[in-house]
Structures are given as C-alpha cells and as structure tokens.
Amino acid sequence: MRVLVTGAGGQVGTELRQRVPAWVELTALNSGELDISDASAVERCVTDLRPQLLINAAAYTAVDRAETEEAKAYAVNALGAENLARSAQVAGIPLFHISTDYVFNGDSSAAYLEQATTDPQTVYGRSKLAGEQSVATLCPRHVILRTSWVFSAHGGNFVKTMLRLAAERDELRVVADQYGGPTSAASIAACLWKMADEYRSKQEGFNWGLFHFSGAPQTSWHGFADHIIAAAATAGLIQRSPQVQPITSAEFPTPAPRPAFSVLNCEKIREQHGIEQPDWRGDVLVVLAELGKA
C-alpha cells in the first residue's frame, strides 16, 4: 500500500517512519518538503504520488506561542487539515488525522467520550477543532485520532524536559492538579499502522470516524514527573534524583490555560478496532532506553 505521511519530522511522524510495516511503500514528507497550508502544493503532491492512504502527523503544537501566533496555528492545524481532507476526497483515498485533548475545556470529572461537547479554551485547541471539523466534513472516509500528553525520544516533550531539569536542579516543582493520559509517539504510530493494516485487509467493513487513544492509567503532571525521575535514576540516566514537589496550576501560570482534566475514554477504539490503551509507564522505560543510547 502506498502511504503518504505529512509532518514526518515531528514526534509521531518520526515514529511512523521508524516503524513502517513491510507492506507499506512510504513517502514521508516534513514541513520543509510539503507545506500543508499551501492547497496547490498539497493537490500536486497527492496527484503526483497517488497514495492509497494519507496520514497527517503535521501540527503546530506550540501551545503557549499559539496565543500570539494564531495565524500560524490555524494555517497548519485548520487550513492544512482542510487542504489534506479535500485532496484525499478528490483522490478517493482515506485520511488518518491526529487531534488533541485540548478540544475540551477540562471541566469534566469523568473521562471524555468522543461525543462529549467540545469547548476549547486556547488558540491551539480551537485550531485543532477546526481541523477536525474540516476532515469530518470534507472526507467521509476518515479516522480522527484524539490523543494527549505526547512524549518520545525525539523533539521537545515533557520527558526530555524533566531529564534536562533534573541535571540542573535539586528540586522540581510540577503541577499536580491537572490530569490526563501520557501517550508515547511510538504507541500512536503503532495504533495508526494497525488501523491502516485493518483498512488494507477489509476495506469495506472498516469503522471510520472519531476515536480517542491515550495512555493509561490517568495521572497528573506531578505523577508523570515523579515516575520519570525515579525510572531515569534506576536506569542511570541522571546522577541525582531531585525532589519532585507538587504545586497548583495557579502557582505555574502559562499564556495558554491547560485543561484541569483531559482524560480520554478509549473504549470505542478498543471495541471497534481491538486497540488497547498502552501503559505509559512501560513506554517511559522504552524512551529512556532510547535516550540512553543516544
């Protein structure tokens, strides 16, 4: 199967490239090779490459910077998704698209179902929701995969930030009143390839639509950090273990407010595609092992 991946330089894009199955003929393009906000460039690319599946891993993910770079965020997350969806539909191929927990306001006390009311509180969240809506409207054969708290051995993410700070400080102050599901980019890539393989094998019976996929069990940023530091110390990646002190969101203000609760209910993807939630704790060990080899 010919598969085109956009956003190949990001965390998920990198893992998609590294984990490409033998049955895939892959073209993976980073933002420098294909600007998805350029409709004519996207149309030419799809026409020339003739992929049988398009996976969009491209995104503007600088959550705080998006508050002052709204046009840039919308260009990639909304217009880019629209361009890909339109070209995929014209070409008669499906689109797999990655979205985020930031489409919710974070006020829930129960894990969010796919049909829960969206109410993004940030430019980033609003731009991603606009992208979701374009994909769902323009390309009926789509998978929109909402995920959260992405980490890997590549790019910038919470795991790598904690390791860097652990080498510099005796104490880390980490927010303890925001809850979610850390998700490794490798697990997201594996999920997407599994769904692609299912589509390849039984195209007409495939369940399209919106799905939630994130790591389990739910935790806070403080709980996530505590686990990272303990695992890194055991692996010998840090020489000392700083104290990880819990703080409130009010003690760590950010330009873009974070959802207080963004745990995703992942039952639908398990029931319709047989995909289980990954245990992020095991995935942290895998990422630490990768970083240890670097």
Side-chain angles (χ1 to χ4, degrees):
M1 177 183 280
R2 294 185 305 278
V3 179
L4 171 60
V5 169
T6 57
Q11 292 190 80
V12 176
T14 298
E15 293 291 346
L16 284 167
R17 287 188 288 109
Q18 293 183 349
R19 297 166 186 275
V20 59
W23 49 266
V24 170
E25 179 185 322
L26 180 66
T27 300
L29 303 177
N30 61 36
S31 58
E33 295 166 321
L34 177 63
D35 176 4
I36 64 170
S37 68
D38 183 335
S40 59
V42 171
E43 183 181 351
R44 285 194 306 272
C45 183
V46 172
T47 300
D48 292 347
L49 294 174
R50 296 183 300 112
Q52 295 161 291
L53 170 65
L54 206 167
I55 301 178
N56 180 32
Y60 179 105
T61 58
V63 176
D64 287 327
R65 205 161 65 238
E67 295 297 307
T68 54
E69 294 184 354
E70 184 169 356
K72 288 184 179 180
Y74 269 84
V76 178
N77 296 340
L79 180 58
E82 177 183 334
N83 292 337
L84 292 167
R86 199 180 303 277
S87 288
Q89 182 63 11
V90 169
I93 62 173
L95 171 62
F96 288 6
H97 175 72
I98 302 169
S99 193
T100 175
D101 57 319
Y102 277 69
V103 299
F104 299 115
N105 62 21
D107 290 343
S108 179
S109 58
Y112 283 98
L113 294 164
E114 284 82 355
Q115 65 268 30
T117 301
T118 54
D119 181 25
Q121 301 295 297
T122 63
V123 168
Y124 168 69
R126 289 191 290 272
S127 68
K128 290 296 289 183
L129 180 59
E132 281 190 15
Q133 292 166 339
S134 290
V135 170
T137 301
L138 296 172
C139 186
R141 290 198 302 162
H142 65 264
V143 167
I144 296 169
L145 194 74
R146 287 186 187 142
T147 190
S148 60
W149 297 22
V150 181
F151 67 93
S152 70
H154 325 286
N157 58 74
F158 188 76
V159 171
K160 294 176 74 175
T161 297
M162 289 301 103
L163 294 180
R164 175 177 57 79
L165 294 177
E168 302 170 357
R169 304 179 184 179
D170 294 322
E171 180 182 278
L172 303 181
R173 291 162 52 80
V174 184
V175 171
D177 58 0
Q178 296 171 13
Y179 294 88
T183 318
S184 75
S187 288
I188 298 169
C191 172
L192 291 168
W193 284 133
K194 186 177 190 301
M195 295 180 91
D197 192 24
E198 183 190 351
Y199 164 66
R200 178 178 71 110
S201 63
K202 66 168 193 184
Q203 299 189 11
E204 294 307 314
F206 188 86
N207 289 308
W208 301 105
L210 170 64
F211 299 92
H212 287 173
F213 177 78
S214 63
Q218 73 178 59
T219 189
S220 66
W221 287 111
H222 175 267
F224 191 19
D226 210 32
H227 185 86
I228 293 164
I229 296 302
T234 299
L237 287 183
I238 54 178
Q239 302 306 309
R240 56 180 180 173
S241 297
Q243 293 294 312
V244 184
Q245 299 293 346
I247 62 171
T248 66
S249 298
E251 294 175 87
F252 190 74
T254 54
R258 270 48 174 180
F261 184 89
S262 63
V263 178
L264 301 175
N265 183 307
C266 300
E267 287 299 304
K268 182 181 176 184
I269 198 169
R270 181 183 63 79
E271 293 170 357
Q272 296 193 9
H273 293 284
I275 295 174
E276 301 286 348
Q277 283 187 272
D279 188 323
W280 61 264
R281 297 167 297 188
D283 285 347
V284 165
L285 296 179
V286 173
V287 168
L288 293 177
E290 287 184 62
L291 291 171
K293 296 174 185 174

